[in-house]
């Protein structure tokens, strides 16, 4: 089976597995007091060219919710895209971790918020008094849930609008590696230099077993992050196995190599699909996700050939490539579609 239902279906990268095996040798201090977890602070500081506080976590949902809890008071609001994962795919975890902060979904273009839309809402909310939960956080997803990207200038412009109204900025980076690889920018340029306060740093979709991290660029958030992580059940007794994954992930550019390959596989597949009648790409293929509309004959042929995809209904499907996919697999799918 060529399974493109999600990059979550892929296995773990060999380098990550090897790192976990190495960490299993001997004993280590528990609950994050180990050498791997300590090393992350330096490794991520070098990666982002900035002192930062790193808290390893297990899931993307917990990472986003924990990150938002650092920035949003219970009586505040978090502005996000109408298709943001925190809004429609995380069961209200953000509201629970913040103690009740309201998520406010705004209109978007291909997954991206636009400064004018954000500014219009913030100006309106500013004059509403206590009738409306006051916006306190802007949450951006990079890359977006439509597989599109904000470039560095777009992140900075949205962050500037948010700052003008007193908001802080969170970035959901479940596919942050794919975004950085595609844009060719530095992690610093896409985050704190553009006004991002806290990043949800994803690794599981890109070769890790189960490893994410909250990365806070404001050292004043360190104490709150440590205590909130403990309360949220994100401090493992054997934290070294999560931290060892993240340590190997960012070492020697592994994270970008894995993501860059996944992006190339999606570009290869999308390139072949463009010439096939009955397929319409819905969004630009900026990273490793392809959203398209296909006719019933083609989708049935993919099913029959055991090609996995996510059915979004009404003839729309999503295909997501991973670090482990090959050019031969992409060409095989293109040939299947051509023959249909």
């Amino acid at each position: 089976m060529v399974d493109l239902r999600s990059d979550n279906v892929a296995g773990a990268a060999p380098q990550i597995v090897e790192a976990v095996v190495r960490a299993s040798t001997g004993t280590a201090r528990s609950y994050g007091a180990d050498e791997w977890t300590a090393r992350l602070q330096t490794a991520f500081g070098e990666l982002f060219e900035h002192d930062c506080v790193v808290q390893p976590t297990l899931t993307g949902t917990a990472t986003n919710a924990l990150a938002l809890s650092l920035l949003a008071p219970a009586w505040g609001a978090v502005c996000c895209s109408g298709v943001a994962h925190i809004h429609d795919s995380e069961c209200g975890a953000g509201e629970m971790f913040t103690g009740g902060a309201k998520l406010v979904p705004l209109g978007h273009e291909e997954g991206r918020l636009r400064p004018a839309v954000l500014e219009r809402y913030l100006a309106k909310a500013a004059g509403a008094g206590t009738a409306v939960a006051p916006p306190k956080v802007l949450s951006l997803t990079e890359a977006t849930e439509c597989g599109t990207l904000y470039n560095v200038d777009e992140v900075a412009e949205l962050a500037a609008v948010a700052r003008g109204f007193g908001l802080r900025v969170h970035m959901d980076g479940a596919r942050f590696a794919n975004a950085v690889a595609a844009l060719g920018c530095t992690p610093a340029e896409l985050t704190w230099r553009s006004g991002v306060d806290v990043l949800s740093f994803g690794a599981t979709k890109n070769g890790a077993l189960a490893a994410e991290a909250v990365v806070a660029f404001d050292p004043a958030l360190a104490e709150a992050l440590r205590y909130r992580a403990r309360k949220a059940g994100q401090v493992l007794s054997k934290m070294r196995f999560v931290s060892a994954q993240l340590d190997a992930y960012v070492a020697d550019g592994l994270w970008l190599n894995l993501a860059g390959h996944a992006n190339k596989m999606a570009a290869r597949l999308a390139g072949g699909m463009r010439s096939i009648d009955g397929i319409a790409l819905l969004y630009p293929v900026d990273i490793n996700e392809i959203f398209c509309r296909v006719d019933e004959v083609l989708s049935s042929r993919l099913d029959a050939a055991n090609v996995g995809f996510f059915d979004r209904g009404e003839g729309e499907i999503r295909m997501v490539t991973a670090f482990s996919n090959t050019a031969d697999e992409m060409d095989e799918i293109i040939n299947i579609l051509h023959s249909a």
Side-chain angles (χ1 to χ4, degrees):
M1 181 181 191
V2 182
D3 194 349
L4 302 183
R5 290 173 295 177
S6 172
D7 38 12
N8 287 322
V9 306
Q15 299 92 328
I16 301 295
V17 176
E18 290 165 7
V20 172
V21 172
R22 287 195 300 272
S24 190
T25 302
T27 62
R29 297 181 67 182
S30 55
Y31 296 104
D34 58 272
E35 63 183 89
W36 293 269
T37 304
R39 196 157 58 228
L40 289 183
Q41 311 306 311
T42 300
F44 274 70
E46 293 175 354
L47 182 68
F48 285 94
E49 306 171 61
H50 192 283
D51 288 339
C52 50
V53 185
V54 184
Q55 175 61 53
T57 50
L58 282 176
T59 72
T61 296
T63 305
N64 280 335
L66 182 57
L68 292 176
S69 76
L70 295 174
L71 303 176
W75 42 270
V78 178
C79 295
C80 60
S81 159
V83 293
H85 211 263
I86 61 171
H87 167 61
D88 67 6
S89 298
E90 296 184 354
C91 197
E95 287 98 332
M96 185 179 78
F97 274 51
T98 59
K102 181 178 176 60
L103 297 185
V104 180
L106 301 177
H108 63 94
E109 296 177 11
E110 299 180 333
R112 293 180 290 251
L113 285 173
R114 293 306 184 194
V117 173
L118 176 63
E119 186 167 14
R120 194 159 48 244
Y121 177 77
L122 295 179
K124 181 179 179 181
T130 57
V132 173
K136 293 296 179 180
V137 179
L138 168 65
S139 182
L140 304 174
T141 310
E142 182 74 311
T144 76
E145 289 77 9
C146 294
T148 55
L149 292 171
Y150 295 100
N151 64 37
V152 171
D153 289 341
E154 288 171 326
V155 173
E157 187 176 4
L158 284 161
V161 172
R163 287 272 188 262
F165 286 87
L167 278 66
R168 304 196 79 175
V169 181
H170 162 252
M171 177 175 282
D172 176 355
R175 293 186 175 92
F176 184 72
N178 301 90
V180 174
L183 291 170
C185 62
T186 68
E189 289 169 337
L190 198 54
T191 54
W192 64 270
R193 283 184 179 152
S194 292
V196 174
D197 296 290
V198 177
L199 168 69
S200 295
F201 183 87
T204 304
K205 294 180 186 298
N206 191 38
L209 290 162
E212 321 282 336
V214 177
V215 181
F217 301 107
D218 180 356
L221 297 172
E223 182 179 27
L225 177 54
R226 298 300 184 217
Y227 279 97
R228 286 181 178 274
R230 190 61 176 248
K231 281 180 172 286
Q234 294 299 303
V235 178
L236 279 72
S237 58
K238 295 184 179 181
M239 182 69 87
R240 71 182 190 268
F241 293 116
V242 180
S243 299
Q245 293 179 64
L246 293 169
D247 185 42
Y249 185 65
V250 300
D252 302 320
L254 175 64
W255 67 302
L256 293 180
N257 292 335
L258 296 174
H261 177 79
N263 290 352
K264 288 177 183 177
M265 293 303 97
R268 187 183 189 99
L269 179 55
M273 294 170 75
R274 286 189 177 94
S275 64
I276 299 173
D277 290 338
I279 298 179
L281 297 179
L282 299 175
Y283 309 116
V285 182
D286 288 342
I287 55 162
N288 63 323
E289 293 186 284
I290 300 171
F291 293 81
C292 57
R293 183 174 288 107
V294 298
D295 66 32
E296 190 173 344
V297 171
L298 295 180
S299 60
S300 297
R301 185 60 180 270
L302 290 173
D303 270 333
N306 211 20
V307 175
F309 57 86
F310 180 71
D311 189 345
R312 291 162 51 88
E314 299 182 353
E316 293 184 7
I317 68 170
R318 184 192 70 171
M319 307 176 89
V320 188
T321 54
F323 73 94
S324 54
N325 287 124
T326 66
D328 286 345
E329 288 175 333
M330 300 304 101
D331 293 344
E332 179 185 354
I333 294 173
I334 293 167
N335 289 334
I336 289 168
L337 291 169
H338 271 297
S339 69

